[in-house]
Amino acid sequence: MNARLPARALRTLALALATGAAATAMADDENKRMNIDHPVYRSECGSCHIAFPPALLGANSWRAMMAGLDKHFGSDASLDAETAATITKFLVANAGRRDTTGSDGNPQLRISDTPWFRKEHRDGHDGITPGVFRSEAVKSAANCAACHRDAGQGDYSERNIRIPKNGARS
Amino acid sequence: MRNHSLQMLLGAAALIASGFASAETPADFLARYETEARQSSPSFSASAERGEKFFTNTHGGEWSCSTCHTKNPTVRGKHASTGKAIEPMAPGANPERFASTRSVEKWFGRNCKDVLGRTCTPGEKADVVAWLMISPR
């Protein structure tokens, strides 16, 4: 048998235990802190946008995302195979339990297209004003940190939400 | 015993020194890309002026390098679709630039595809590095 297997299995087990606990906590209250604590994930997937919480998409969505990095929302975000495999493992291990397959049968790739996101971010909910996502201060629903001030650290708790007034900079 | 610890100390020192020696500099990248470019055109010499033009040109597409990085490589840029801040490209303004092959090749690979729809030639990369190295002027 492969001599490296036990060490690898142990590591996987440790990771699964740590992230499993985080995923459970997250599912119970999605406004709390979300696990983004993986140095390779944070540096690679946090350069063009913040490192989005893996719990916000299902495992199939993450697998599809990582299989199409050369055409990633209009940009080439290609990674070497080894780094991509490391990140995929982290994303899948921490993926949301909710399946995020779209109505067309394909895995949804845009977090802001998922029913959960749309419900939580509908106009009028928790002070969200119409058009705020397209405003100068926010620009895009991908800009979590425009309102979730500590999103870069995985903190989406309600007390750290500041919605820019009328989309103006604040 | 004492001899053994001395050996360990020397070993550690050598390891640290080799670590420093292997750190890459902007000049290393310039030299490497120039050498590569000379394989197909022996008289090639990097030009900062060409590099600046290349950086700010849209090459028939929608984006130029400066769409995100701005035309001034000593200031922060902004990602065209996400709005996330991008630290300055000029090594004179940001010492983290042109310090690792892995990072440099990754970003040239991705961004040349986005801007030009193809990979950049060694000559183009040499020109851009030459321009970034003399910024700020």
Side-chain angles (χ1 to χ4, degrees), chain B:
Chain B
M1 186 75 174
R2 174 166 290 199
N3 200 9
H4 185 68
S5 8
L6 189 69
Q7 260 176 358
M8 293 243 302
L9 193 72
L10 283 174
L15 209 68
I16 291 166
S18 74
F20 279 120
S22 72
E24 294 164 290
T25 67
D28 295 337
F29 288 96
L30 180 60
R32 185 189 310 172
Y33 293 138
E34 270 193 320
T35 307
E36 285 176 26
R38 280 176 193 145
Q39 285 171 5
S40 52
S41 47
S43 63
F44 179 86
S45 179
S47 149
E49 199 184 326
R50 271 200 315 262
E52 179 171 8
K53 273 193 195 130
F54 180 87
F55 199 85
T56 52
N57 194 308
T58 56
H59 307 273
E62 193 188 338
W63 288 344
S64 66
C65 306
S66 50
T67 303
C68 295
H69 294 295
T70 84
K71 291 182 177 183
N72 179 354
T74 68
V75 302
R76 276 178 146 192
K78 200 174 178 186
H79 194 282
S81 42
T82 67
K84 192 168 192 290
I86 304 171
E87 295 306 314
M89 288 309 300
N94 177 4
E96 286 182 23
R97 296 301 183 201
F98 300 99
S100 110
T101 297
R102 189 180 167 271
S103 171
V104 170
E105 285 299 313
K106 179 179 81 177
W107 288 107
F108 264 136
R110 290 172 167 183
N111 296 356
C112 292
K113 290 263 179 61
D114 281 344
V115 173
L116 302 134
R118 60 164 173 85
T119 54
C120 290
T121 65
E124 288 164 343
K125 293 197 266 192
D127 289 345
V128 167
V129 176
W131 177 56
L132 295 175
M133 278 175 72
I134 61 158
S135 308
R137 277 183 276 205

Side-chain angles (χ1 to χ4, degrees), chain A residues 26 29-34 116 120 148 155-158 161:
Chain A
M26 144 65 201
D29 180 354
E30 45 220 353
N31 293 318
K32 290 287 188 289
R33 201 178 168 83
M34 301 202 214
W116 166 82
E120 289 295 324
H148 297 273
D155 181 349
Y156 290 79
S157 59
E158 297 218 347
I161 299 176

Side-chain angles (χ1 to χ4, degrees), chain A residues 17-137:
Chain A
L17 283 174
T19 55
T24 313
M26 144 65 201
D28 293 336
D29 180 354
E30 45 220 353
N31 293 318
K32 290 287 188 289
R33 201 178 168 83
M34 301 202 214
N35 184 23
I36 53 166
D37 292 330
H38 186 286
V40 179
Y41 174 66
R42 285 182 73 152
S43 71
E44 293 294 346
C45 303
S47 21
C48 297
H49 49 69
I50 64 154
F52 298 120
L56 298 186
L57 286 176
N60 278 346
S61 290
W62 288 123
R63 286 194 193 95
M65 188 92 70
M66 295 303 289
L69 285 182
D70 57 326
K71 292 189 175 71
H72 187 69
F73 302 100
S75 285
D76 187 318
S78 301
L79 281 172
D80 63 90
E82 195 189 332
T83 309
T86 302
I87 290 173
T88 305
K89 202 183 276 182
F90 170 71
L91 288 169
V92 168
N94 289 276
R97 286 187 288 188
R98 251 179 290 239
D99 178 59
T100 47
T101 301
S103 50
D104 61 357
N106 293 321
Q108 288 183 302
L109 300 183
R110 222 178 259 282
I111 292 167
S112 54
D113 282 347
T114 62
W116 166 82
F117 184 97
R118 293 166 68 105
K119 176 170 165 281
E120 289 295 324
H121 299 85
R122 65 190 185 273
D123 285 346
H125 180 64
D126 281 352
I128 294 174
T129 49
V132 73
F133 283 103
R134 287 181 302 281
S135 68
E136 185 56 29

